Amino acid sequence: MKQTSSPLPLSPLTLGPIHWTPAQPPLIMGIINVTPDSFSDGGRFLGEQNALEHARQLASEGAQILDIGGESTRPGADLVVEQEELDRVIPAIRSIAAADLGRAISIDTYKARVADKALAAGAHIVNDVWGLQREPDIAKAAADHHAPVIINHWEKERQSDIDIMEQMKRFFDRSIEIALKAGVKPREIILDPGFGFAKDAAENIEILARLEQLCDWEYPILIGTSRKRFIGSLTGREEPRDRVFGTVASNVIALMKGAAIFRVHDVAAHKDALAVAHAVYDQQRT
């Protein structure tokens, strides 16, 4: 893998009001979908008040980051025009920021203008499912606000004859270059292998099994397996809400392989499970 920068090994992270060091338990990111059609909880938290109430609940359960998204990325989901996305996310972000929950707020978007407006409204982090490659100006929006970026791996067309981890590393090389050229600092970059994004069950399992190869790159790794289809294919659970235990298992494995941040629907279950796993992992490291 080409090194485009020289980050220190898992440096401390500053994410808005959250300051985290590798010696601490992992960070939990709670999901707030202000959408009518997300695969697991579409419509439940649509609207400013519903989003705020859910943010309070996730914060009380132990989420340090609240990830707000206004466009579903499930297969077959309708595209959302920019203004509609803004109308969904900005009121929610403003209300949650005003509530002063002491949590970092992340905007889940690939649109540069949405990211810019969300950061101005009180968000602290940009979470781009297209890894800064669909609208590269999103990196400049993040840099202008001194906001960390989460670079998610998503390539709808990939070469079947190239190792999936090698493809992912090449993708991250391009995204990191975009980020650094825009002014994002190396310590403000987080990588997400993109479980479920144009990947079948076998590929998701392989990525999880080989996750330490990404962690060795020394950027913090965010994991987003929550209630995903491949969890259902392994457990036989058709309903996304029934995939909690399988999700917890996948995230415990990821933590033991070095992951640092976990994007989940079910915060309370993960807080307990990851606390136990972290205690063992931390002892192994020392």
Side-chain angles (χ1 to χ4, degrees), residues 1-7 173 176 216-219:
M1 185 191 312
K2 180 179 69 176
Q3 288 288 339
T4 53
S5 63
S6 299
D173 275 333
I176 291 168
D216 285 346
W217 206 1
E218 299 173 349
Y219 288 102

Side-chain angles (χ1 to χ4, degrees), residues 14-248:
T14 298
L15 307 171
I18 302 298
H19 303 283
W20 177 86
T21 69
Q24 295 175 312
L27 292 168
I28 297 177
M29 172 187 279
I31 299 169
I32 304 175
N33 290 318
V34 287
T35 58
D37 58 346
S38 290
F39 80 98
S40 179
D41 54 11
R44 291 187 63 199
F45 311 117
L46 186 62
E48 180 179 349
Q49 190 58 38
N50 289 338
L52 176 58
E53 290 177 3
H54 192 48
R56 291 186 187 277
Q57 178 65 32
L58 293 175
S60 71
E61 292 177 359
Q64 298 100 328
I65 307 169
L66 303 170
D67 191 45
I68 301 169
E71 180 174 355
S72 174
T73 55
R74 67 173 175 79
D78 293 333
L79 294 176
V80 176
V81 298
E82 183 179 274
Q83 189 57 51
E84 184 176 1
E85 186 175 353
L86 286 167
D87 291 343
R88 292 176 181 179
V89 301
I90 298 302
I93 290 171
R94 285 178 176 158
S95 292
I96 294 169
D100 196 20
L101 301 177
R103 303 299 191 267
I105 300 171
S106 172
I107 175 63
D108 181 354
T109 188
Y110 58 84
K111 300 183 181 76
R113 184 166 174 266
V114 173
D116 181 62
K117 296 291 186 182
L119 292 166
H124 309 100
I125 307 163
V126 174
N127 181 12
D128 183 356
V129 295
W130 285 100
L132 315 180
Q133 294 190 33
R134 182 154 175 172
E135 290 192 19
D137 282 347
I138 197 170
K140 185 178 185 305
D144 287 347
H145 291 272
H146 308 287
V149 295
I150 299 167
I151 297 173
N152 182 81
H153 175 259
W154 190 5
E155 295 176 283
K156 289 198 172 181
E157 294 184 5
R158 291 187 283 109
Q159 295 176 257
S160 58
D161 60 336
I162 298 179
D163 177 76
I164 189 169
M165 300 302 285
E166 182 58 34
Q167 290 187 59
M168 190 178 298
K169 292 169 185 177
R170 294 179 186 182
F171 177 91
F172 285 144
D173 275 333
R174 296 192 296 272
S175 293
I176 291 168
E177 185 175 4
I178 291 169
L180 296 177
K181 283 184 176 179
V184 177
K185 296 178 176 61
R187 291 185 180 183
E188 295 173 335
I189 294 172
I190 298 164
L191 304 181
D192 180 347
F195 287 96
F197 286 88
K199 301 173 181 74
D200 61 28
E203 289 172 322
N204 286 310
I205 294 166
E206 181 177 359
I207 292 166
L208 186 59
R210 299 171 60 189
L211 190 65
E212 66 276 3
Q213 294 178 23
L214 291 183
C215 295
D216 285 346
W217 206 1
E218 299 173 349
Y219 288 102
I221 302 296
L222 182 146
I223 300 298
T225 61
S226 189
R227 302 182 181 180
K228 293 285 178 74
R229 184 179 299 176
F230 87 97
I231 301 290
S233 71
L234 293 171
T235 61
R237 304 289 186 180
E238 294 186 8
E239 289 296 322
R241 294 182 194 178
D242 294 335
R243 299 171 186 167
V244 179
F245 300 126
T247 299
V248 168

